[in-house]
Amino acid sequence: MPYRTIVTVLFSVLTVAFATSIAADAKAKRSKMAVTASSVHPGDYPAEYAFDGNPRTRWASKTPLSRTGEWLQVDLGKSLPINDISISWETAHATRYKILASEDGKTFKVIHTQTAGKGGNETIKDLKAKGRFVRLLATKASSHNLASIWEFSIGGVKIDKTIQGKISKRARGKRPKAAPAAPPADPSALTKLGVKEIVFAARESGVDGHWYANFGYYSYNSNSKLYRKEGRLCKLDVATGKAALLVDDPEGSIRDPAVHYDAKRIVFSWRKKGTDQFHLYEINVDGSGLKQLTSGIYDDIEPSYMANGKIVFVSSRVKRWVQCWLSPVAVLHHCDADGKNVRQISANVEHDNTPWPLPDGRILFMRWEYVDRSQVDYHHLWTVNPDGTGQMVYFGNMHPSSLFIDAKPIPGTSNVILINSPGHGAREHSGSVAIVNDKNGPDDRGSMRNISGRGYRDPYAISADTFIVARGRTMVIMNPQGRTSTLYTLDSKFGRSTELHEPRPIIARKRERVHPARVNPAMATGQLMLMDV
C-alpha cells in the first residue's frame, strides 16, 4: 500500500474515532431539559413557551384536537421526584386530560387524571411520582377545540437555562432590545405641542385571547359574552396628572374614543349597563351633550371622523362569524355625522379593524386576508377610499405572520405608526410599537422597524418624535427610539383588572383631502374595473 494511502486511511480512522468520542461526550453531558409537543398551532405558540417563565407567552396545540389527544412533554434531563404540578391554562383549556411520567420516554404511567377541568390555574398536589419525562395529554377540549397553556411548572424543578436561552434567541430575532429608560415625563413637552388634555378609555380586557374577539358572544351560547365591564371614558389633565370621568359605567364597557378635527367633540363606542351591543356615541370634550348615534342589534366599534363629515367604523352588521372561530365578524361601514345612513363599504369575509384617515384622504385599516390563504398568517395594512372603492394593499400582505393594527399617520412625515402584534395577534391588539414607510412598495421588509418590545397598545403620534401609547394600566410617552416615560397610571378608584386603552390627544388637526364619491347607491348596477391580475 502506498505511503499516501496509509496516511489517508489512518487519518480517516482517527477522524471517525475523534467524532465518535465527541458524540459520546455530548450524549453523556446531554441532561438538559427539552420540551416537545404533539402539535403546534399556526402562529407563535411553540411548546417551549409553556416553560419560559413568561405568563404572556403560551403553547397552543393544533385545532381541532385529534382523536387520540394532543400532548405537551418535558424531558427533565434526569429522573426527579414529581409531587406538585401547576398549570395556567389559556381560555382554550382541556376539560379532560392526563398527566403521565416515564423514565425512558417510551413507556408512560398515568399519575393523574382530570375529567372535569375548568381551566384557569390548576394545581395538582401530592402525586408522589418519579420520572425523567412528564407529559400532559389533553383528550377533550373546551368549546375552543384545542389546548393552550400559558405556564406549566413542576414543584422543585427549575426552568433549564437552555430553554430560556432558546426563547430569548427567538425573541431577539423578532424585537429589539429594550430601550434605555427616558427621563421622567415632562408635561411641558406636550403643552408645547398644544396638548393640554388627553382622552382615554378604561375597561377590563375581553375574555378571549384573539385580537378581534372582544365584543358579542361565542356562537354556541349567547350568554357566553366576549366583553367584560368597568367601562369609563376619561380625560387626563396633562399639567396636573389628574383624570376626570366623562362617562362612568362600571357595569358597561367603553372603547375607541376619537377626537374631532375641531377638538370639541369625541366619538366613542359604548355598551351600556344592562345591554349587549356596542353603539356609537358622541360627547363634548367638557362632558356635555352626550348623544347616541347608532342603534340596533349589531355592534358598532372603532370609529374615526372623516374629512367629508362622515364617520367610518367597523360593524357586525355584516352578519357573519369568523370561519375558524366562534365570534362575530366586523367590517368597514360609514354613517353620517348624526349616525344615519349607515352603509357597508367592505365585502371582506373576515375582520377589518381600526380604520383611520391618511393625509391623502384614503382610509388606512387592517384587513384579515383569509380565503385561499392561511387562516392565521395574513392580517396586514390596506387602504380604501371613503366610499369603499379602490381597496388596495398598503403594507405587508406578502409576508406571513404578525398582525399590523392600530395604524395612524405620523404628522409631518410619510411614516405610519402601528402595533406589530406577534403571530396571529394578541389580546386587545397588544404587541410592539412599529414605524413603517411605504415608499419602497408594500413588500419591502426593511421599510418597517419595531421600536419597542411587546406589551404596548394603541399608539398615537402627536408629532414626528412624540407618541403616546397604552401599556397595561399605564399611559406612556414614547420617542422614535422606543424610550418611554410614564405619563399617567390608573389609580385605586379603577378596578384591579381594569386597563387603560386608546389614549388620544384633545388637539385640533387639519382635515385630510376629500375624495369625491365614485358610487351611487341608487343605481341598480355598477362597473367593476380589474386593475392588475
Side-chain angles (χ1 to χ4, degrees):
M1 183 181 292
Y3 173 77
R4 178 175 294 179
T5 303
I6 294 171
V7 171
T8 302
V9 170
L10 285 172
F11 181 77
S12 298
V13 171
L14 288 170
T15 301
V16 171
F18 182 64
T20 304
S21 173
I22 290 175
D25 240 9
K27 188 173 182 181
K29 293 178 180 178
R30 191 183 298 122
S31 62
K32 294 183 176 180
M33 186 183 289
V35 182
T36 53
S38 57
S39 68
V40 175
H41 197 75
D44 193 25
Y45 307 104
E48 308 97 273
Y49 277 177
F51 290 86
D52 67 352
N54 184 349
R56 292 180 177 272
T57 59
R58 59 188 172 99
W59 164 72
S61 73
K62 70 177 184 180
T63 182
L65 218 65
S66 67
R67 292 183 179 180
T68 55
E70 302 296 336
W71 50 263
L72 174 70
Q73 179 176 299
V74 58
D75 175 359
L76 303 177
K78 60 182 179 181
S79 184
L80 294 171
I82 305 166
N83 292 315
D84 302 336
I85 289 178
S86 296
I87 309 167
S88 177
W89 293 97
E90 200 260 346
T91 306
H93 65 279
T95 57
R96 292 182 184 176
Y97 65 87
K98 296 178 181 179
I99 304 291
L100 305 97
S102 171
E103 294 291 353
D104 58 6
K106 297 177 181 179
T107 303
F108 284 85
K109 177 183 178 181
V110 177
I111 60 175
H112 177 76
T113 300
Q114 172 62 272
T115 59
K118 296 182 179 180
N121 296 318
E122 289 191 78
T123 300
I124 307 160
K125 292 184 175 293
D126 299 322
L127 291 171
K128 297 179 181 178
K130 190 177 181 181
R132 170 173 172 168
F133 298 85
V134 180
R135 176 182 291 186
L136 181 147
L137 174 63
T139 55
K140 185 176 181 181
S142 61
S143 55
H144 299 77
N145 210 10
L146 73 151
S148 185
I149 294 175
W150 293 108
E151 286 298 310
F152 186 104
S153 61
I154 303 168
V157 178
K158 294 183 178 179
I159 299 172
D160 192 285
K161 291 182 179 179
T162 56
I163 288 186
Q164 293 176 323
K166 186 173 182 180
I167 297 299
S168 297
K169 188 176 181 180
R170 291 173 62 96
R172 283 197 298 271
K174 293 188 176 184
R175 63 191 185 211
K177 294 180 180 179
D186 179 8
S188 65
L190 292 179
T191 56
K192 288 177 182 178
L193 293 169
V195 180
K196 297 180 180 180
E197 296 176 319
I198 299 173
V199 65
F200 64 90
R203 65 180 179 275
E204 294 177 319
S205 296
V207 303
D208 192 287
H210 293 86
W211 88 86
Y212 53 81
N214 47 28
F215 66 92
Y217 57 87
Y218 286 121
S219 56
Y220 61 85
N221 184 351
S222 61
N223 292 318
S224 187
K225 309 299 185 185
L226 288 160
Y227 51 76
R228 287 188 172 128
K229 302 177 181 180
E230 296 293 337
R232 291 172 177 85
L233 183 67
C234 309
K235 183 175 65 173
L236 175 69
D237 185 310
V238 173
T240 65
K242 295 182 179 180
L245 296 179
L246 297 178
V247 180
D248 186 12
D249 188 0
E251 293 299 313
S253 187
I254 291 175
R255 53 180 295 168
D256 314 317
V259 179
H260 192 267
Y261 298 98
D262 61 12
K264 296 179 180 179
R265 292 173 282 163
I266 300 164
V267 64
F268 63 101
S269 186
W270 182 9
R271 180 194 63 78
K272 279 189 173 183
K273 170 186 176 180
T275 66
D276 294 325
Q277 282 80 37
F278 285 90
H279 296 306
L280 302 188
Y281 289 78
E282 193 175 54
I283 192 171
N284 295 329
V285 295
D286 63 2
S288 65
L290 177 64
K291 58 183 177 181
Q292 183 172 344
L293 302 181
T294 62
S295 60
I297 61 172
Y298 303 107
D299 290 276
D300 303 322
I301 60 174
E302 298 176 351
S304 296
Y305 289 107
M306 292 196 295
N308 61 8
K310 295 182 181 292
I311 297 171
V312 63
F313 60 101
V314 300
S315 176
S316 63
R317 296 165 191 265
V318 71
K319 304 175 185 177
R320 58 177 68 114
W321 300 80
V322 174
Q323 296 180 77
C324 59
W325 205 234
L326 308 160
S327 59
V329 166
V331 302
L332 294 179
H333 289 66
H334 68 52
C335 66
D336 294 342
D338 59 4
K340 296 180 180 178
N341 297 316
V342 173
R343 187 167 77 83
Q344 182 180 336
I345 59 173
S346 167
N348 194 8
V349 297
E350 291 295 347
H351 280 275
D352 299 324
N353 281 109
T354 59
W356 199 270
L358 288 169
D360 64 10
R362 293 176 298 163
I363 302 300
L364 180 66
F365 68 103
M366 185 234 72
R367 173 184 167 94
W368 184 4
E369 281 287 280
Y370 194 113
V371 176
D372 294 330
R373 305 197 83 182
S374 162
Q375 293 175 318
V376 297
D377 279 338
Y378 298 94
H379 14 54
H380 301 110
L381 298 181
W382 287 61
T383 58
V384 66
N385 294 326
D387 61 4
T389 62
Q391 185 160 292
M392 187 63 64
V393 174
Y394 182 82
F395 187 80
N397 200 46
M398 290 301 291
H399 303 308
S401 192
S402 292
L403 166 81
F404 300 164
I405 200 164
D406 284 306
K408 296 173 181 60
I410 299 177
T413 76
S414 57
N415 296 334
V416 163
I417 192 169
L418 68 142
I419 287 294
N420 179 5
S421 193
H424 189 37
R427 185 192 306 270
E428 297 287 356
H429 309 181
S430 176
S432 299
V433 179
I435 294 176
V436 68
N437 188 305
D438 71 333
K439 66 180 180 180
N440 292 329
D443 304 316
D444 178 28
R445 287 180 180 269
S447 296
M448 188 180 79
R449 64 184 179 92
N450 289 349
I451 65 171
S452 79
R454 295 177 185 173
Y456 292 94
R457 297 188 306 267
D458 314 316
Y460 191 103
I462 301 172
S463 70
D465 55 10
T466 306
F467 317 139
I468 50 174
V469 191
R471 182 181 177 91
R473 293 171 64 87
T474 300
M475 184 192 310
V476 302
I477 300 174
M478 181 180 290
N479 69 12
Q481 290 72 47
R483 295 186 178 183
T484 63
S485 52
T486 298
L487 184 61
Y488 172 76
T489 300
L490 297 181
D491 58 31
S492 58
K493 70 183 177 185
F494 296 91
R496 293 179 61 185
S497 58
T498 305
E499 295 190 330
L500 189 149
H501 299 262
E502 300 106 19
R504 308 284 184 247
I506 301 178
I507 183 174
R509 56 192 173 92
K510 293 181 180 179
R511 290 177 184 260
E512 301 80 16
R513 174 186 172 190
V514 176
H515 283 251
R518 301 180 186 181
V519 299
N520 184 353
M523 298 291 290
T525 61
Q527 290 183 328
L528 172 67
M529 184 179 294
L530 182 62
M531 300 296 290
D532 190 343
V533 296

Short mmCIF file of all heavy atoms in Angstrom, two decimals, residues 261-306:
data_model
loop_
_atom_site.label_atom_id
_atom_site.label_comp_id
_atom_site.label_asym_id
_atom_site.label_seq_id
_atom_site.Cartn_x
_atom_site.Cartn_y
_atom_site.Cartn_z
N TYR A 261 -61.89 66.89 14.44
CA TYR A 261 -60.90 67.83 13.90
C TYR A 261 -60.86 69.14 14.69
O TYR A 261 -59.81 69.76 14.84
CB TYR A 261 -61.21 68.13 12.43
CG TYR A 261 -61.14 66.92 11.54
CD1 TYR A 261 -62.29 66.22 11.18
CD2 TYR A 261 -59.92 66.46 11.05
CE1 TYR A 261 -62.23 65.10 10.36
CE2 TYR A 261 -59.84 65.34 10.23
CZ TYR A 261 -61.00 64.66 9.89
OH TYR A 261 -60.94 63.55 9.08
N ASP A 262 -62.03 69.58 15.19
CA ASP A 262 -62.07 70.86 15.91
C ASP A 262 -61.74 70.72 17.39
O ASP A 262 -61.75 71.71 18.13
CB ASP A 262 -63.44 71.52 15.74
CG ASP A 262 -64.59 70.68 16.31
OD1 ASP A 262 -64.31 69.69 17.02
OD2 ASP A 262 -65.75 71.00 16.02
N ALA A 263 -61.45 69.47 17.84
CA ALA A 263 -61.08 69.19 19.24
C ALA A 263 -62.18 69.57 20.21
O ALA A 263 -61.92 69.80 21.40
CB ALA A 263 -59.78 69.90 19.61
N LYS A 264 -63.44 69.58 19.73
CA LYS A 264 -64.56 69.92 20.61
C LYS A 264 -65.45 68.72 20.91
O LYS A 264 -66.25 68.76 21.84
CB LYS A 264 -65.39 71.05 19.99
CG LYS A 264 -64.64 72.36 19.86
CD LYS A 264 -65.51 73.43 19.22
CE LYS A 264 -64.76 74.75 19.08
NZ LYS A 264 -65.60 75.80 18.43
N ARG A 265 -65.34 67.68 20.11
CA ARG A 265 -66.21 66.51 20.26
C ARG A 265 -65.39 65.22 20.27
O ARG A 265 -64.28 65.18 19.73
CB ARG A 265 -67.23 66.46 19.12
CG ARG A 265 -68.26 67.56 19.15
CD ARG A 265 -69.11 67.53 17.88
NE ARG A 265 -68.40 68.12 16.76
CZ ARG A 265 -68.75 67.93 15.48
NH1 ARG A 265 -69.75 67.12 15.19
NH2 ARG A 265 -68.08 68.53 14.52
N ILE A 266 -65.97 64.20 20.87
CA ILE A 266 -65.34 62.88 20.93
C ILE A 266 -66.38 61.85 20.52
O ILE A 266 -67.49 61.83 21.07
CB ILE A 266 -64.83 62.55 22.35
CG1 ILE A 266 -63.79 63.59 22.80
CG2 ILE A 266 -64.26 61.14 22.41
CD1 ILE A 266 -63.54 63.57 24.30
N VAL A 267 -66.05 61.00 19.57
CA VAL A 267 -66.90 59.86 19.23
C VAL A 267 -66.29 58.63 19.88
O VAL A 267 -65.07 58.48 19.96
CB VAL A 267 -67.04 59.69 17.70
CG1 VAL A 267 -65.71 59.34 17.04
CG2 VAL A 267 -68.09 58.63 17.37
N PHE A 268 -67.12 57.75 20.39
CA PHE A 268 -66.62 56.54 21.05
C PHE A 268 -67.67 55.44 20.97
O PHE A 268 -68.80 55.67 20.53
CB PHE A 268 -66.25 56.83 22.51
CG PHE A 268 -67.40 57.25 23.40
CD1 PHE A 268 -68.00 56.34 24.26
CD2 PHE A 268 -67.88 58.56 23.38
CE1 PHE A 268 -69.04 56.73 25.08
CE2 PHE A 268 -68.92 58.96 24.19
CZ PHE A 268 -69.52 58.04 25.05
N SER A 269 -67.28 54.25 21.38
CA SER A 269 -68.18 53.10 21.36
C SER A 269 -68.50 52.68 22.80
O SER A 269 -67.60 52.61 23.63
CB SER A 269 -67.52 51.93 20.61
OG SER A 269 -68.42 50.86 20.45
N TRP A 270 -69.78 52.42 23.05
CA TRP A 270 -70.22 52.17 24.43
C TRP A 270 -71.27 51.06 24.45
O TRP A 270 -72.26 51.11 23.72
CB TRP A 270 -70.81 53.47 24.99
CG TRP A 270 -71.29 53.43 26.42
CD1 TRP A 270 -71.12 52.46 27.35
CD2 TRP A 270 -72.04 54.47 27.07
NE1 TRP A 270 -71.68 52.80 28.54
CE2 TRP A 270 -72.26 54.04 28.40
CE3 TRP A 270 -72.53 55.71 26.66
CZ2 TRP A 270 -72.97 54.80 29.32
CZ3 TRP A 270 -73.23 56.47 27.57
CH2 TRP A 270 -73.45 56.03 28.89
N ARG A 271 -71.00 50.06 25.30
CA ARG A 271 -72.02 49.07 25.62
C ARG A 271 -72.56 49.44 26.99
O ARG A 271 -71.90 49.25 28.00
CB ARG A 271 -71.44 47.65 25.65
CG ARG A 271 -72.49 46.58 25.99
CD ARG A 271 -71.85 45.26 26.34
NE ARG A 271 -71.01 45.33 27.52
CZ ARG A 271 -71.44 45.34 28.77
NH1 ARG A 271 -72.74 45.31 29.03
NH2 ARG A 271 -70.58 45.40 29.78
N LYS A 272 -73.75 49.98 27.02
CA LYS A 272 -74.32 50.44 28.27
C LYS A 272 -74.66 49.29 29.21
O LYS A 272 -74.93 48.17 28.78
CB LYS A 272 -75.58 51.26 28.01
CG LYS A 272 -75.35 52.70 27.62
CD LYS A 272 -76.66 53.47 27.59
CE LYS A 272 -76.44 54.95 27.37
NZ LYS A 272 -77.72 55.72 27.40
N LYS A 273 -74.65 49.61 30.49
CA LYS A 273 -75.07 48.67 31.52
C LYS A 273 -76.41 48.04 31.15
O LYS A 273 -77.34 48.74 30.74
CB LYS A 273 -75.19 49.39 32.87
CG LYS A 273 -75.85 48.60 33.97
CD LYS A 273 -76.04 49.45 35.21
CE LYS A 273 -76.81 48.68 36.29
NZ LYS A 273 -77.01 49.51 37.50
N GLY A 274 -76.50 46.73 31.26
CA GLY A 274 -77.76 46.04 31.00
C GLY A 274 -78.06 45.79 29.54
O GLY A 274 -79.13 45.26 29.21
N THR A 275 -77.13 46.17 28.64
CA THR A 275 -77.33 45.92 27.21
C THR A 275 -76.23 45.02 26.69
O THR A 275 -75.21 44.78 27.36
CB THR A 275 -77.35 47.24 26.41
OG1 THR A 275 -76.05 47.84 26.47
CG2 THR A 275 -78.37 48.22 26.99
N ASP A 276 -76.40 44.52 25.47
CA ASP A 276 -75.46 43.56 24.91
C ASP A 276 -74.60 44.12 23.78
O ASP A 276 -73.56 43.56 23.46
CB ASP A 276 -76.21 42.34 24.37
CG ASP A 276 -76.89 41.55 25.48
OD1 ASP A 276 -76.32 41.49 26.57
OD2 ASP A 276 -77.98 41.00 25.24
N GLN A 277 -75.03 45.21 23.15
CA GLN A 277 -74.33 45.70 21.97
C GLN A 277 -73.56 47.00 22.25
O GLN A 277 -73.97 47.82 23.06
CB GLN A 277 -75.31 45.98 20.81
CG GLN A 277 -75.76 44.73 20.07
CD GLN A 277 -76.87 43.99 20.82
OE1 GLN A 277 -77.73 44.62 21.43
NE2 GLN A 277 -76.83 42.67 20.77
N PHE A 278 -72.44 47.14 21.52
CA PHE A 278 -71.72 48.40 21.48
C PHE A 278 -72.33 49.28 20.39
O PHE A 278 -72.55 48.82 19.27
CB PHE A 278 -70.24 48.19 21.15
CG PHE A 278 -69.42 47.64 22.28
CD1 PHE A 278 -69.27 46.27 22.45
CD2 PHE A 278 -68.77 48.49 23.17
CE1 PHE A 278 -68.50 45.75 23.48
CE2 PHE A 278 -67.99 47.98 24.20
CZ PHE A 278 -67.87 46.62 24.36
N HIS A 279 -72.59 50.55 20.72
CA HIS A 279 -73.07 51.51 19.73
C HIS A 279 -72.18 52.75 19.77
O HIS A 279 -71.45 52.98 20.74
CB HIS A 279 -74.53 51.90 20.03
CG HIS A 279 -75.48 50.76 19.91
ND1 HIS A 279 -75.58 49.97 18.79
CD2 HIS A 279 -76.40 50.27 20.79
CE1 HIS A 279 -76.51 49.05 18.97
NE2 HIS A 279 -77.01 49.20 20.18
N LEU A 280 -72.28 53.57 18.72
CA LEU A 280 -71.50 54.80 18.67
C LEU A 280 -72.22 55.91 19.42
O LEU A 280 -73.43 56.09 19.28
CB LEU A 280 -71.26 55.23 17.22
CG LEU A 280 -70.55 54.22 16.31
CD1 LEU A 280 -70.21 54.89 14.98
CD2 LEU A 280 -69.29 53.66 16.97
N TYR A 281 -71.44 56.68 20.17
CA TYR A 281 -71.94 57.84 20.92
C TYR A 281 -71.00 59.01 20.66
O TYR A 281 -69.83 58.83 20.28
CB TYR A 281 -71.97 57.56 22.42
CG TYR A 281 -73.05 56.59 22.85
CD1 TYR A 281 -72.89 55.22 22.67
CD2 TYR A 281 -74.23 57.04 23.45
CE1 TYR A 281 -73.87 54.33 23.06
CE2 TYR A 281 -75.22 56.16 23.84
CZ TYR A 281 -75.04 54.80 23.64
OH TYR A 281 -76.02 53.92 24.02
N GLU A 282 -71.50 60.20 20.90
CA GLU A 282 -70.69 61.40 20.79
C GLU A 282 -70.91 62.26 22.02
O GLU A 282 -72.01 62.31 22.56
CB GLU A 282 -71.04 62.18 19.52
CG GLU A 282 -70.03 63.27 19.18
CD GLU A 282 -70.35 63.95 17.85
OE1 GLU A 282 -71.49 64.44 17.69
OE2 GLU A 282 -69.47 63.97 16.98
N ILE A 283 -69.84 62.92 22.46
CA ILE A 283 -69.91 63.76 23.64
C ILE A 283 -68.97 64.96 23.45
O ILE A 283 -67.95 64.84 22.74
CB ILE A 283 -69.51 62.96 24.91
CG1 ILE A 283 -69.84 63.72 26.19
CG2 ILE A 283 -68.04 62.57 24.87
CD1 ILE A 283 -69.66 62.88 27.46
N ASN A 284 -69.31 66.08 24.03
CA ASN A 284 -68.41 67.23 24.00
C ASN A 284 -67.25 66.99 24.95
O ASN A 284 -67.38 66.24 25.93
CB ASN A 284 -69.16 68.51 24.41
CG ASN A 284 -70.24 68.89 23.41
OD1 ASN A 284 -70.11 68.62 22.21
ND2 ASN A 284 -71.32 69.51 23.90
N VAL A 285 -66.12 67.62 24.69
CA VAL A 285 -64.93 67.35 25.49
C VAL A 285 -65.09 67.79 26.94
O VAL A 285 -64.35 67.33 27.82
CB VAL A 285 -63.68 68.03 24.88
CG1 VAL A 285 -63.35 67.43 23.53
CG2 VAL A 285 -63.85 69.52 24.78
N ASP A 286 -66.08 68.66 27.22
CA ASP A 286 -66.32 69.07 28.61
C ASP A 286 -67.31 68.15 29.31
O ASP A 286 -67.68 68.39 30.47
CB ASP A 286 -66.81 70.52 28.67
CG ASP A 286 -68.15 70.72 27.95
OD1 ASP A 286 -68.72 69.74 27.44
OD2 ASP A 286 -68.61 71.89 27.91
N GLY A 287 -67.75 67.08 28.63
CA GLY A 287 -68.67 66.11 29.23
C GLY A 287 -70.13 66.40 28.97
O GLY A 287 -70.99 65.61 29.38
N SER A 288 -70.44 67.49 28.28
CA SER A 288 -71.83 67.82 27.98
C SER A 288 -72.24 67.25 26.62
O SER A 288 -71.39 66.78 25.85
CB SER A 288 -72.02 69.34 27.96
OG SER A 288 -71.28 69.92 26.89
N GLY A 289 -73.53 67.31 26.33
CA GLY A 289 -74.03 66.98 25.00
C GLY A 289 -73.93 65.52 24.61
O GLY A 289 -73.84 65.20 23.41
N LEU A 290 -73.96 64.61 25.57
CA LEU A 290 -73.88 63.19 25.24
C LEU A 290 -75.08 62.77 24.39
O LEU A 290 -76.23 63.05 24.73
CB LEU A 290 -73.85 62.36 26.53
CG LEU A 290 -73.85 60.83 26.36
CD1 LEU A 290 -72.58 60.36 25.67
CD2 LEU A 290 -74.01 60.14 27.72
N LYS A 291 -74.82 62.06 23.27
CA LYS A 291 -75.91 61.58 22.42
C LYS A 291 -75.52 60.28 21.74
O LYS A 291 -74.35 60.03 21.44
CB LYS A 291 -76.29 62.63 21.38
CG LYS A 291 -75.17 63.05 20.44
CD LYS A 291 -75.64 64.15 19.49
CE LYS A 291 -74.51 64.65 18.60
NZ LYS A 291 -74.96 65.73 17.70
N GLN A 292 -76.52 59.44 21.53
CA GLN A 292 -76.31 58.16 20.87
C GLN A 292 -76.46 58.35 19.37
O GLN A 292 -77.40 58.99 18.90
CB GLN A 292 -77.32 57.14 21.38
CG GLN A 292 -77.12 55.75 20.79
CD GLN A 292 -78.01 54.69 21.47
OE1 GLN A 292 -78.54 54.92 22.55
NE2 GLN A 292 -78.17 53.55 20.82
N LEU A 293 -75.53 57.76 18.59
CA LEU A 293 -75.55 57.91 17.14
C LEU A 293 -76.12 56.70 16.42
O LEU A 293 -76.91 56.84 15.49
CB LEU A 293 -74.13 58.19 16.62
CG LEU A 293 -73.42 59.42 17.17
CD1 LEU A 293 -72.04 59.56 16.54
CD2 LEU A 293 -74.25 60.68 16.95
N THR A 294 -75.70 55.49 16.81
CA THR A 294 -76.19 54.29 16.14
C THR A 294 -76.96 53.41 17.12
O THR A 294 -76.82 53.56 18.34
CB THR A 294 -75.04 53.47 15.52
OG1 THR A 294 -74.15 53.04 16.57
CG2 THR A 294 -74.27 54.31 14.51
N SER A 295 -77.73 52.48 16.60
CA SER A 295 -78.53 51.60 17.45
C SER A 295 -78.77 50.30 16.70
O SER A 295 -78.30 50.11 15.58
CB SER A 295 -79.86 52.28 17.80
OG SER A 295 -80.59 52.57 16.63
N GLY A 296 -79.52 49.40 17.34
CA GLY A 296 -79.86 48.14 16.69
C GLY A 296 -79.28 46.94 17.40
O GLY A 296 -78.76 47.04 18.51
N ILE A 297 -79.34 45.78 16.73
CA ILE A 297 -78.94 44.52 17.35
C ILE A 297 -77.50 44.14 17.00
O ILE A 297 -77.04 43.05 17.33
CB ILE A 297 -79.88 43.37 16.93
CG1 ILE A 297 -79.83 43.17 15.40
CG2 ILE A 297 -81.30 43.65 17.39
CD1 ILE A 297 -80.59 41.94 14.94
N TYR A 298 -76.77 45.05 16.33
CA TYR A 298 -75.40 44.77 15.95
C TYR A 298 -74.42 45.66 16.71
O TYR A 298 -74.81 46.66 17.30
CB TYR A 298 -75.23 44.97 14.43
CG TYR A 298 -76.18 44.12 13.63
CD1 TYR A 298 -77.27 44.70 12.98
CD2 TYR A 298 -76.01 42.75 13.54
CE1 TYR A 298 -78.17 43.92 12.26
CE2 TYR A 298 -76.90 41.96 12.83
CZ TYR A 298 -77.98 42.55 12.19
OH TYR A 298 -78.86 41.77 11.49
N ASP A 299 -73.15 45.27 16.68
CA ASP A 299 -72.10 46.01 17.39
C ASP A 299 -71.39 46.96 16.44
O ASP A 299 -70.98 46.57 15.34
CB ASP A 299 -71.07 45.04 17.98
CG ASP A 299 -71.64 44.24 19.13
OD1 ASP A 299 -71.63 44.76 20.26
OD2 ASP A 299 -72.11 43.10 18.90
N ASP A 300 -71.24 48.21 16.86
CA ASP A 300 -70.51 49.24 16.11
C ASP A 300 -69.32 49.70 16.95
O ASP A 300 -69.51 50.20 18.06
CB ASP A 300 -71.42 50.42 15.80
CG ASP A 300 -72.67 50.01 15.04
OD1 ASP A 300 -72.57 49.12 14.17
OD2 ASP A 300 -73.75 50.57 15.32
N ILE A 301 -68.11 49.53 16.43
CA ILE A 301 -66.90 49.83 17.21
C ILE A 301 -65.87 50.55 16.34
O ILE A 301 -66.03 50.66 15.12
CB ILE A 301 -66.28 48.55 17.81
CG1 ILE A 301 -65.89 47.57 16.71
CG2 ILE A 301 -67.23 47.89 18.80
CD1 ILE A 301 -65.13 46.34 17.20
N GLU A 302 -64.81 51.03 16.97
CA GLU A 302 -63.63 51.60 16.32
C GLU A 302 -63.94 52.73 15.33
O GLU A 302 -63.59 52.68 14.16
CB GLU A 302 -62.82 50.49 15.64
CG GLU A 302 -62.32 49.47 16.63
CD GLU A 302 -61.58 48.28 16.04
OE1 GLU A 302 -61.60 48.13 14.80
OE2 GLU A 302 -61.00 47.51 16.81
N PRO A 303 -64.64 53.77 15.78
CA PRO A 303 -64.98 54.87 14.89
C PRO A 303 -63.85 55.86 14.67
O PRO A 303 -62.97 56.02 15.53
CB PRO A 303 -66.14 55.55 15.63
CG PRO A 303 -65.79 55.34 17.08
CD PRO A 303 -65.18 53.96 17.14
N SER A 304 -63.88 56.53 13.54
CA SER A 304 -62.97 57.65 13.25
C SER A 304 -63.74 58.69 12.44
O SER A 304 -64.54 58.34 11.56
CB SER A 304 -61.75 57.19 12.44
OG SER A 304 -60.96 56.28 13.17
N TYR A 305 -63.48 59.95 12.72
CA TYR A 305 -64.07 61.02 11.92
C TYR A 305 -63.38 61.07 10.55
O TYR A 305 -62.17 60.82 10.43
CB TYR A 305 -63.88 62.37 12.61
CG TYR A 305 -64.72 62.55 13.85
CD1 TYR A 305 -64.14 62.51 15.11
CD2 TYR A 305 -66.09 62.80 13.76
CE1 TYR A 305 -64.89 62.71 16.27
CE2 TYR A 305 -66.86 63.00 14.91
CZ TYR A 305 -66.25 62.95 16.15
OH TYR A 305 -67.02 63.14 17.28
N MET A 306 -64.15 61.42 9.51
CA MET A 306 -63.58 61.58 8.17
C MET A 306 -63.75 63.03 7.71
O MET A 306 -64.66 63.74 8.15
CB MET A 306 -64.24 60.63 7.18
CG MET A 306 -63.92 59.16 7.44
SD MET A 306 -64.31 58.10 6.03
CE MET A 306 -66.10 58.25 5.94
#
